[in-house]
Amino acid sequence: MEATEFVEAMGGPVQPAGFPAFMSEDAVEACRFSLMIMRAHLSDFDRAIGVRTTVELVDSPFFTCRAKETARDHHVITIPLGLVCRFYVLADLLCGYLQGSKVMLNLDVDAEWESLWRLPRGLHPLFGAPDARTDWRKELEVLHSGVCTPEAAYDVASMTSLALMFIIGHEAAHVYRRHGPQLRAMKHLDVVRTPEDERYFRRFAETDADVMATHWVMLAQDVGRLTAREKGREFSTVTAYFRLSCAVTALYALFDVHRKHMGSYLEGIYTHPMVRRHVFAVAGAMASANEPDAYGIWPRTEVNGWVHCAFGLNGLNIDTLMGKFGKVPKGYNAVPVSSLHYDSQSMPAVQAAYDREMRFYAVMAACHESLGVLRMGTTPEAVRFEVPDGRTMAELLEAGDPAVRAAHAMSVRAEAVRAR
């Protein structure tokens, strides 16, 4: 399939007139600018590893981004307009809660409770699966008209463009880090042997893409600051980081709203959205540490952005509980709306899950980069997570964590391949 054929099959490129009317002109222009910047940025990485990457925003109502190798070393990435529009509406909605209540609902979400949760009808256009029987643009427009925050229009436009950059960075990282070709090579070389091995490799690849996307959006802030300085313009690093933190938090709030419980993510391809958000925070701190102008600003600003979004989501939960967005079927619960259900009880579980994931990730990243059968981009030193030392690894293996055991076994087999 040719690249143009794939793009058309995914909905076709979005023209300026294809954006819904409820999106501001600033937001539309910001999205087009982000797309242009990321295309230029990725062309440098394409030259470095000998591939070609095409990125298109396509006219599709779906959440899911797609990537396809349409010819040898030519990859096409499509970002659905529906995802960008949903983010825009959610960002606008959350900005309306910034001056609201700062009291968190304590929501104990276990596996049984999770099965009793349903979206109220009014939030289906934002969080629900697309329905071919409805006009998704019109439904989002109706929702947006009731939740928009006009005084935050520029912030919402900026957050939307940053979220788009992060999404593109995540998808492009799969190309730059050669996740697909590497998995095929590892299966051929008997490094990846079982469906469980493949699932764990894909889990590593998703976290790897989040780390790379974080590195790239942080780099974009640095470029913006330097460019502004060269042209004698003002640039607030605090504001830029705050918007970025809000944008990525809100983006993760959109994902997997039907799964809340941490245990639902132990064995799948993705980690829990709260764990993914924590990866972003830590990788962002690592990336900012090498920038003298930004050192020390990111940690406190990132937390400030996260807190504002967390309270915004809490306000959304309260309004949902009060019936603002309609009723749910009898016998079901309406909250929490997002998987980012922060409360006083959730953080120890998030930290424990994060620690487990990053140990697994570090082992798999070392295995991925050291196999040596493909030309790929390496993890930048700024966001390289250290592999556990021998003693720690022995303790992890003795504890019997299946993810760490699988990663270690694949590393041993990869070492045997290198030794041939």
Side-chain angles (χ1 to χ4, degrees):
M1 177 181 285
E2 294 292 331
T4 54
E5 292 177 331
F6 178 70
V7 171
E8 288 298 328
M10 294 298 102
V14 176
Q15 304 302 324
F19 286 86
F22 63 80
M23 287 188 71
S24 69
E25 291 184 8
D26 283 342
V28 172
E29 287 305 309
C31 286
R32 295 178 66 197
F33 182 71
S34 290
L35 193 60
M36 180 183 70
I37 290 295
M38 290 303 288
R39 282 170 174 162
H41 184 58
L42 294 175
S43 66
D44 294 334
F45 293 103
D46 285 354
R47 286 191 291 272
I49 64 171
V51 300
R52 180 185 172 196
T53 307
T54 300
V55 182
E56 287 288 356
L57 186 64
V58 295
D59 192 0
S60 165
F62 297 102
F63 282 91
T64 308
C65 303
R66 295 289 303 276
K68 184 177 179 63
E69 189 173 10
T70 57
R72 183 176 177 81
D73 292 330
H74 184 188
H75 300 261
V76 181
I77 296 169
T78 59
I79 312 297
L81 180 61
L83 174 58
V84 176
C85 294
R86 284 182 174 89
F87 177 88
Y88 178 84
V89 173
L90 179 61
D92 218 344
L93 185 156
L94 292 178
C95 283
Y97 290 109
L98 293 185
Q99 303 303 320
S101 170
K102 298 297 186 290
V103 178
M104 280 288 183
L105 292 176
N106 281 305
L107 303 165
D108 184 14
V109 183
D110 58 23
E112 181 180 359
W113 196 96
E114 182 178 270
S115 67
L116 299 176
W117 176 90
R118 291 293 185 274
L119 272 174
R121 181 59 199 158
L123 291 177
H124 268 275
L126 184 58
F127 294 111
D131 187 341
R133 299 168 297 180
T134 62
D135 183 341
W136 68 274
R137 283 180 173 83
K138 184 63 177 177
E139 287 202 332
L140 272 178
E141 182 177 10
V142 171
L143 175 60
H144 181 256
S145 67
V147 301
C148 65
T149 313
E151 60 271 26
Y154 189 78
D155 291 306
V156 172
S158 298
M159 288 166 59
T160 304
S161 69
L162 289 168
L164 179 57
M165 291 178 69
F166 188 87
I167 292 165
I168 294 172
H170 176 101
E171 297 303 325
H174 288 308
V175 176
Y176 178 62
R177 295 281 281 156
R178 309 304 296 273
H179 291 143
Q182 181 79 334
L183 176 58
R184 292 192 293 270
M186 292 174 81
K187 290 168 75 173
H188 176 72
L189 294 169
D190 201 35
V191 175
V192 171
R193 290 179 174 176
T194 67
E196 288 74 20
D197 286 345
E198 179 172 344
R199 186 177 69 244
Y200 282 127
F201 180 89
R202 293 184 183 278
R203 188 180 182 94
F204 146 75
E206 293 302 329
T207 300
D208 198 40
D210 282 348
V211 170
M212 292 301 300
T214 303
H215 169 70
W216 281 334
V217 293
M218 293 295 289
L219 183 62
Q221 307 311 302
D222 298 335
V223 171
R225 181 173 57 252
L226 295 174
T227 301
R229 180 186 297 170
E230 290 173 358
K231 296 185 177 182
R233 299 174 182 171
E234 292 186 4
F235 183 93
S236 171
T237 301
V238 171
T239 301
Y241 280 175
F242 175 78
R243 286 176 178 152
L244 177 59
S245 177
C246 288
V248 175
T249 307
L251 182 63
Y252 283 139
L254 273 177
F255 296 155
D256 288 349
V257 297
H258 294 282
R259 291 192 295 167
K260 310 284 192 294
H261 183 50
M262 195 68 65
S264 301
Y265 293 83
L266 289 178
E267 302 300 331
I269 293 174
Y270 295 98
T271 60
H272 193 285
M274 287 196 289
V275 175
R276 296 181 70 183
R277 175 59 181 74
H278 199 47
V279 170
F280 162 75
V282 174
M286 293 165 68
S288 70
N290 292 328
E291 293 295 329
D293 291 342
Y295 182 71
I297 297 176
W298 172 255
R300 65 176 183 271
T301 309
E302 174 273 319
V303 168
N304 194 25
W306 163 68
V307 166
H308 275 75
C309 268
F311 280 127
L313 289 168
N314 185 66
L316 177 59
N317 280 335
I318 292 174
D319 278 352
T320 302
L321 188 64
M322 298 299 292
K324 178 178 178 178
F325 300 101
K327 297 180 179 180
V328 296
K330 187 176 181 180
Y332 290 95
N333 298 302
V335 291
V337 172
S338 170
S339 295
L340 270 67
H341 57 276
Y342 292 105
D343 56 49
S344 60
Q345 300 171 8
S346 63
M347 297 315 295
V350 173
Q351 185 64 51
Y354 168 83
D355 291 341
R356 178 246 196 186
E357 290 300 331
M358 298 320 290
R359 288 164 178 160
F360 160 74
Y361 167 74
V363 175
M364 282 300 305
C367 174
H368 177 64
E369 292 188 357
S370 64
L371 192 59
V373 297
L374 288 172
R375 186 181 177 189
M376 70 174 67
T378 57
T379 307
E381 286 295 329
V383 288
R384 186 180 294 275
F385 289 78
E386 292 186 5
V387 177
D389 59 32
R391 180 177 178 179
T392 302
M393 180 59 70
E395 292 174 351
L396 293 170
L397 292 173
E398 186 176 349
D401 186 289
V404 175
R405 283 193 168 187
H408 181 259
M410 284 185 270
S411 295
V412 170
R413 293 194 289 269
E415 180 64 32
V417 170
R418 292 193 299 272
R420 290 175 188 170

